[in-house]
Amino acid sequence: MAAEERMSVYRASRSIKRMDNSLYNALRSIYEDSTFVAEIAGLWPSLPLVANLRCGLWYAPRFEATCYFKSTDGHTNNWCFSTSRLNLHLARLAGQRGGCLIVDSTRKGKRFPDSMSKTIPIWACVINCAIKNYLQRMLGDNHQGQELESNISSNETSDMRLKSADWDCSLHLPIWVSNSEKAIIETHLQEWTVLLEACGADISSLASNLRKPLRPLWISQKTLIWLNEIPDHDSWEFIPLILVSASASDGISQSRTSSGFSWHYIPGAGDDEESWARGLSPDLFWKHAFELIDTGPELCNRQVAEIVEKERVYLAQRGKYSPQVTLKTGKSSTINHPISLEEPNIVSELMETEFSINSMSTISSCKEHTIFWLGLTNVAVSTTSHVFNASDDVDCVLNCDSNSGSFSFPSASSQLHLPIVTSKVDRFSLIRNLPSAIDFAKLNLSRGRKLLVCCHNGEDISICVCLAILMSFFDEKGSFDGGNSFMHTTITKWDVRRRLVFICKFATSARPSRGNLKQVFGFLSREQESAIIAESALDAT
């Protein structure tokens, strides 16, 4: 009996939690927090608004750019400067515009996510250190420095001297990060700076673009701002990275009543969208924000399902990528009771047409990305939805999307579909398909054809496939050699990292997962071992 009572209490608490974390509560919380983001953006209207993927993308209708800083890179004793996520486009944007506002959010109990507390400050400091080292090398008291001064104007030389002397390379962390933790992080700055300088990043262009060092500032809903004392960002001695934490940090559960509806506030509601959004993307949400908020908790799930399906049909009718994947149907739920975010089967009682949550979850990001040509390599990367727009510019398509089919190209030899899934779903999906991808790429690139590699979001799998192609058939300068340099060079993780930096220079949306990068390195190592064995066998004969 006691066990049954405990189970009843457990079920009751789980039911309450599911009701508090309903879809309507998440959307309403995002909508409320977006007003704060809009207010802060209005204080510096000339600065670009940037979303830190993926959570930050929910908190404003429009962003000028996105960036990708992971909170795990700032976790205590796990501090990291990632060359897979250099975000150099953000540094250039801040330099061109005099700063930027970066939006992110976090769950209750924190004012700022670790991505803002430590990851971005570490990133800014390392970039500042690399630029100062570059300036000092250019103005050194050696022959190179004298030659430099003879080739540039005295004004430019004086400006570089001034920048070099006054350039702030200090690590600026928020006050809630302890001094002991700061001291430990500072011991790693030099090695991270060397890592950045050695990975192939274009430090010289950053140095010419950034007239002042980068420095983070933090703003949350608890920050006090005197409106009559807002400084002009140009008056600061640094380029500000204004880190805006969108959500309230109160640890107390908040129940609110407005517009006739009672709802529960969720801090950081935009996080982990796969678990609650049900196919709704940030872009779709802001297209229908008012009607979703006015719908109320009871009909929100039905409304979201209709919006997502209408968007899918809209794209499909215009010949755009819009797969329809059937979800298994489960027990029906009553509309009068809020449907749990943790219930996987929710569609059958909402509408007759079945749709795929996963297939629609990247609509927003797909619309943002364009086709990125990787230098002069004749290789491009994009989302699957952009293949239709690129048919006149490319000669062949390597489609790595797990859900899509063929495209309208003249012959079947001009396209190859490899249904590759992320490493979280299948740890070996990429490495199994890379041999076919490499053969297809070699066949077409050797004929001088332009190759487009695509996947559902253009950020992970397609980037890793491009990485394998460039490592296999191109030298360090980006020239096609059919694999000659690959066969005569021992590939290391450092070589793969440098080539990834080259790709990210052009494909600014790239954010490959660690699991997929490991598969690429494993494939390249295996190919080299096979080639060495084959060559040894030929020599023996």
Side-chain angles (χ1 to χ4, degrees):
M1 186 67 178
E4 293 180 359
E5 290 179 355
R6 284 197 298 269
M7 183 60 68
S8 298
V9 172
Y10 172 77
R11 288 177 177 174
S13 63
R14 293 286 293 175
S15 176
I16 293 172
K17 183 177 180 180
R18 286 195 295 265
M19 293 174 64
D20 288 344
N21 293 332
S22 68
L23 178 59
Y24 181 82
N25 287 341
L27 297 179
R28 186 60 185 264
S29 301
I30 290 170
Y31 184 79
E32 293 291 317
D33 290 336
S34 70
T35 60
F36 168 72
V37 173
E39 290 175 0
I40 299 302
L43 299 179
W44 292 280
S46 62
L47 295 184
L49 194 64
V50 181
N52 188 29
L53 297 173
R54 293 173 304 162
C55 181
L57 201 59
W58 286 89
Y59 289 93
R62 288 177 296 278
F63 288 97
E64 291 196 37
T66 60
C67 59
Y68 187 44
F69 294 98
K70 294 186 68 173
S71 288
T72 52
D73 292 340
H75 287 176
T76 302
N77 296 323
N78 192 47
W79 312 286
C80 176
F81 178 84
S82 175
T83 55
S84 300
R85 297 176 289 275
L86 283 178
N87 292 289
L88 297 185
H89 68 287
L90 178 66
R92 296 189 184 96
L93 177 64
Q96 294 166 1
R97 302 286 291 276
C100 62
L101 297 100
I102 304 175
V103 179
D104 204 351
S105 184
T106 187
R107 295 293 185 180
K108 69 178 180 179
K110 284 186 175 182
R111 290 179 63 186
F112 292 86
D114 284 340
S115 60
M116 289 184 164
S117 295
K118 284 170 279 189
T119 305
I120 294 179
I122 289 172
W123 172 83
C125 181
V126 171
I127 287 182
N128 289 338
C129 291
I131 291 177
K132 183 167 185 175
N133 290 346
Y134 172 81
L135 295 176
Q136 289 178 339
R137 286 196 299 270
M138 293 296 100
L139 295 172
D141 294 330
N142 51 31
H143 178 72
Q144 181 181 358
Q146 295 172 1
E147 181 179 348
L148 173 70
E149 291 190 27
S150 64
N151 292 333
I152 61 178
S153 67
S154 58
N155 289 337
E156 292 178 5
T157 304
S158 300
D159 181 57
M160 291 180 69
R161 287 186 188 279
L162 184 62
K163 287 172 63 177
S164 173
D166 298 340
W167 199 263
D168 181 16
C169 291
S170 304
L171 176 63
H172 296 278
L173 295 174
I175 58 175
W176 54 86
V177 176
S178 66
N179 291 331
S180 59
E181 184 174 4
K182 179 181 180 182
I184 298 174
I185 294 175
E186 287 175 332
T187 63
H188 296 283
L189 292 177
Q190 184 176 356
E191 64 182 82
W192 290 334
T193 303
V194 172
L195 186 68
L196 173 61
E197 294 171 338
C199 74
D202 190 357
I203 306 299
S204 61
S205 66
L206 289 177
S208 61
N209 189 264
L210 296 174
R211 309 301 296 176
K212 293 182 286 187
L214 299 169
R215 182 169 175 177
L217 301 173
W218 295 267
I219 294 180
S220 72
Q221 292 196 27
K222 286 189 174 181
T223 303
L224 297 178
I225 300 177
W226 302 103
L227 297 180
N228 60 339
E229 297 181 4
I230 300 297
D232 187 350
H233 64 86
D234 289 332
S235 65
W236 288 324
E237 296 181 352
F238 53 85
I239 297 175
L241 302 173
I242 302 176
L243 309 181
V244 183
S245 183
S247 55
S249 58
D250 294 334
I252 304 173
S253 177
Q254 302 181 40
S255 295
R256 306 182 182 184
T257 302
S258 57
S259 302
F261 302 121
S262 295
W263 57 283
H264 180 84
Y265 176 74
I266 305 174
D271 194 18
D272 193 21
E273 61 193 46
E274 289 88 356
S275 66
W276 61 267
R278 302 185 178 186
L280 192 69
S281 67
D283 183 63
L284 274 180
F285 167 64
W286 285 107
K287 282 182 180 179
H288 304 276
F290 295 114
E291 60 184 280
L292 286 173
I293 297 303
D294 291 340
T295 295
E298 294 184 353
L299 299 178
C300 181
N301 292 13
R302 181 196 297 273
Q303 189 72 15
V304 167
E306 292 175 354
I307 289 172
V308 171
E309 177 61 15
K310 286 180 180 178
E311 180 72 6
R312 190 197 67 78
V313 173
Y314 175 86
L315 295 175
Q317 288 176 342
R318 284 152 182 80
K320 295 185 178 181
Y321 165 61
S322 183
Q324 185 174 20
V325 179
T326 302
L327 290 178
K328 294 180 181 179
T329 57
K331 297 178 181 180
S332 60
S333 301
T334 61
I335 297 299
N336 293 328
H337 184 75
I339 299 176
S340 165
L341 294 179
E342 299 179 0
E343 293 174 349
N345 306 316
I346 61 170
V347 182
S348 59
E349 73 273 22
L350 298 179
M351 56 192 306
E352 294 180 359
T353 306
E354 295 175 313
F355 62 97
S356 168
I357 290 179
N358 291 332
S359 68
M360 297 298 296
S361 62
T362 56
I363 290 175
S364 179
S365 60
C366 286
K367 290 185 177 180
E368 286 185 351
H369 302 326
T370 56
I371 298 170
F372 300 106
W373 289 97
L374 307 182
L376 302 177
T377 62
N378 275 351
V379 179
V381 62
S382 78
T383 63
T384 314
S385 61
H386 277 90
V387 174
F388 299 95
N389 301 329
S391 57
D392 296 334
D393 300 324
V394 301
D395 301 312
C396 50
V397 172
L398 176 53
N399 179 15
C400 304
D401 197 305
S402 59
N403 294 320
S404 63
S406 61
F407 302 100
S408 55
F409 275 80
S411 63
S413 61
S414 298
Q415 56 182 306
L416 175 65
H417 179 214
L418 300 174
I420 305 175
V421 297
T422 181
S423 59
K424 291 184 178 180
V425 178
D426 185 344
R427 292 171 53 196
F428 307 105
S429 177
L430 178 60
I431 199 171
R432 282 199 306 268
N433 286 281
L434 275 177
S436 299
I438 292 298
D439 291 342
F440 180 79
K442 184 176 183 180
L443 175 65
N444 287 279
L445 291 173
S446 60
R447 299 175 179 177
R449 307 181 76 188
K450 295 181 179 180
L451 171 66
L452 175 63
V453 182
C454 63
C455 67
H456 75 287
N457 61 10
E459 299 171 351
D460 186 4
I461 294 174
S462 56
I463 295 294
C464 290
V465 172
C466 286
L467 178 61
I469 292 172
L470 295 189
M471 291 295 300
S472 299
F473 304 126
F474 292 82
D475 60 21
E476 278 283 341
K477 297 180 180 180
S479 300
F480 181 80
D481 63 5
N484 183 60
S485 58
F486 176 74
M487 298 303 299
H488 295 87
T489 305
T490 301
I491 299 298
T492 65
K493 290 184 178 179
W494 184 248
D495 296 321
V496 176
R497 184 177 297 172
R498 286 176 58 88
R499 198 62 62 93
L500 179 60
V501 170
F502 171 81
I503 293 175
C504 293
K505 180 180 179 181
F506 303 98
T508 56
S509 63
R511 48 191 186 113
S513 65
R514 181 177 300 178
N516 284 337
L517 289 176
K518 286 183 178 180
Q519 292 182 72
V520 172
F521 181 72
F523 166 78
L524 295 173
S525 300
R526 188 178 67 187
E527 289 296 298
Q528 283 203 325
E529 290 177 1
S530 300
I532 292 173
I533 294 174
E535 187 174 351
S536 300
L538 288 175
D539 293 340
T541 57

